[in-house]
Amino acid sequence: MPDVPVALSSNPRSTEPERPRLSPEEARRAIRGAEAALLDERRQLTHDELSALADVPDASVPALAALAHEVRLAWCGDTVEVEGILSAKTGGCPEDCHFCSQSSKFESAVQATPFLDTTDVLAAARETAALGASEFCIVLAIRGPDERTMQRVLELVPLVQEETGLNVAVSAGVLTPEQAKRFADGGVHRYNHNLETAESFFPEVVTTHSWAERFDTCQLVRNEGMELCCGVLLGMGESVEQRLELIGQLRAVEPAEVPLNFLNPRPGTPFAGRPLVEPLEALRWIALFRLGLPSVILRYAGGREVTLRELQALGLTAGINALIVGNYLTTLGRSPDEDLQMLEDLAMPIGALSKAI
């Protein structure tokens, strides 16, 4: 699939926003309370309960992760879903998402390319199916689809399904009601449209479209009966409070899947100099997204390699139950064999997942 071979980021590690940490005793009480709520009472945590968990000391993060793993097993089961993504139309995007090297607004190594040929798309889908994946996502670097793009995607969806048996997801930007209906009628299983960050922080990240436009597209997707894949990107400079705000806003759009990305700063973008999220802090937030969204498919996505390095397996015991394998859109992932071996080592079966509630 198209990609830009880039070196792993050498950015310094981040200094996370400071909030007073709970004492060890307070942390134990908060974790026990969350366990009772999620496993015994089978209810979502309140904002205040989540906020307390965000402040447990670093020494309590393994206990937080262990609870998140139990919650994942209780609410979603032990199956892990594997997905491959394909950048079918790369670069040249008119939007100014400050983290993205595909924007035409910034100087970067990513060059605009036309829509891939059908043979290339089918070849990538076959490679994805050979890994044991159940989902294949066609991704386009556009604000939203024009009529030609709509027709092209709607031609590809049944071809991929017939050729590979994979469920087909699409990521093509902001939709109109009519476009959402056509994608649903055309067999699109999931539609990806990320909120990325909290509404209150969004103007610091994007200026060419609004957070409300993203939220509205997410609602259209669900209204038409497609599963909603709605991802986030952590480490752009948002506060702890804004990460908690984002969890609440994800609850409002009720996604089936939440890809969890960590910023891997791209040369030439406004966020090129941002530091990486610390590994332990990444594990804290993997656990918190699971505890805040107990029923979703929580997918390892971009940035995990540079953020967690050798600790990636710990994310799968902290609430993650899905993976993007292979390369991402403009950055390199590790080899699919490494991820499949990790799942085998953890005795985690691969299969298809759908939203639990």
Side-chain angles (χ1 to χ4, degrees):
M1 66 180 65
D3 210 297
V4 177
V6 292
L8 296 184
S9 173
S10 60
N11 281 275
R13 292 279 159 182
S14 66
T15 302
E16 290 293 324
E18 289 293 330
R19 296 204 327 177
R21 294 298 191 200
L22 302 181
S23 69
E25 295 76 15
E26 291 170 330
R28 284 194 293 272
R29 284 198 296 272
I31 292 171
R32 285 198 299 266
E35 179 181 5
L38 287 160
L39 299 179
D40 299 331
E41 301 168 30
R42 195 77 174 186
R43 66 167 175 84
Q44 287 193 333
L45 300 181
T46 66
H47 176 86
D48 287 346
E49 288 170 326
L50 272 174
S51 183
L53 294 174
D55 293 330
V56 302
D58 289 349
S60 298
V61 169
L64 193 70
L67 173 59
H69 184 59
E70 286 190 59
V71 169
R72 168 245 168 142
L73 293 174
W75 285 69
C76 304
D78 63 353
T79 299
V80 176
E81 186 180 273
V82 172
E83 178 183 44
I85 63 174
L86 174 69
S87 184
K89 193 278 176 196
T90 303
C93 182
E95 304 306 288
D96 73 346
C97 304
H98 291 9
F99 55 83
C100 185
S101 58
Q102 299 200 66
S103 172
S104 62
K105 309 287 187 185
F106 316 131
E107 295 291 334
S108 80
V110 177
Q111 301 299 311
T113 61
F115 209 121
L116 292 179
D117 292 337
T118 298
T119 53
D120 294 327
V121 175
L122 291 177
R126 285 192 293 269
E127 291 175 5
T128 297
L131 298 173
S134 56
E135 198 86 15
F136 179 71
C137 188
I138 299 170
V139 184
L140 310 173
I142 54 178
R143 174 186 171 87
D146 58 18
E147 180 55 30
R148 183 179 179 184
T149 301
M150 288 292 301
Q151 292 181 10
R152 186 83 177 88
V153 171
L154 289 170
E155 289 170 2
L156 284 169
V157 169
L159 290 176
V160 171
Q161 291 170 333
E162 292 163 11
E163 176 86 13
T164 66
L166 291 168
N167 291 319
V168 182
V170 171
S171 179
V174 174
L175 298 180
T176 66
E178 184 259 349
Q179 289 171 333
K181 185 177 190 310
R182 287 173 66 189
F183 275 146
D185 292 345
V188 174
H189 174 238
R190 282 186 197 144
Y191 191 83
N192 165 253
H193 199 62
N194 296 342
L195 289 181
E196 303 292 10
T197 193
E199 183 177 12
S200 65
F201 189 67
F202 193 82
E204 304 297 319
V205 179
V206 184
T207 67
T208 50
H209 61 268
S210 69
W211 187 91
E213 287 177 276
R214 290 186 180 239
F215 187 87
D216 290 346
T217 292
C218 291
Q219 290 187 311
L220 287 175
V221 169
R222 293 199 63 253
N223 290 345
E224 291 300 332
M226 290 179 284
E227 289 191 356
L228 173 63
C229 171
C230 187
V232 304
L233 177 56
L234 303 184
M236 295 188 287
E238 73 284 349
S239 67
V240 169
E241 290 81 2
Q242 285 165 329
R243 291 177 184 175
L244 294 169
E245 176 192 342
L246 176 57
I247 291 174
Q249 290 161 347
L250 285 167
R251 287 177 174 182
V253 295
E254 299 183 281
E257 174 186 342
V258 175
L260 191 55
N261 300 275
F262 296 97
L263 182 68
N264 184 356
R266 298 293 83 214
T269 68
F271 288 172
R274 297 286 166 101
L276 297 171
V277 175
E278 293 282 355
L280 192 64
E281 199 64 14
L283 290 171
R284 177 194 301 273
W285 284 97
I286 289 169
L288 284 166
F289 270 80
R290 169 56 66 202
L291 297 173
L293 302 163
S295 69
V296 303
I297 300 165
L298 190 61
R299 190 178 299 277
Y300 250 160
R304 61 181 167 107
E305 293 84 2
V306 295
T307 299
L308 288 159
R309 299 193 300 268
E310 299 306 315
L311 300 183
Q312 289 181 66
L314 294 182
L316 284 157
T317 57
I320 293 291
N321 66 333
L323 301 172
I324 293 174
V325 294
N327 295 332
Y328 303 105
L329 300 178
T330 60
T331 57
L332 300 177
R334 63 182 188 170
S335 76
D337 287 345
E338 290 178 277
D339 280 336
L340 297 180
Q341 185 63 58
M342 178 171 65
L343 294 177
E344 183 178 337
D345 292 344
L346 292 168
M348 292 182 176
I350 297 172
L353 291 169
S354 60
K355 194 179 177 192
I357 59 172

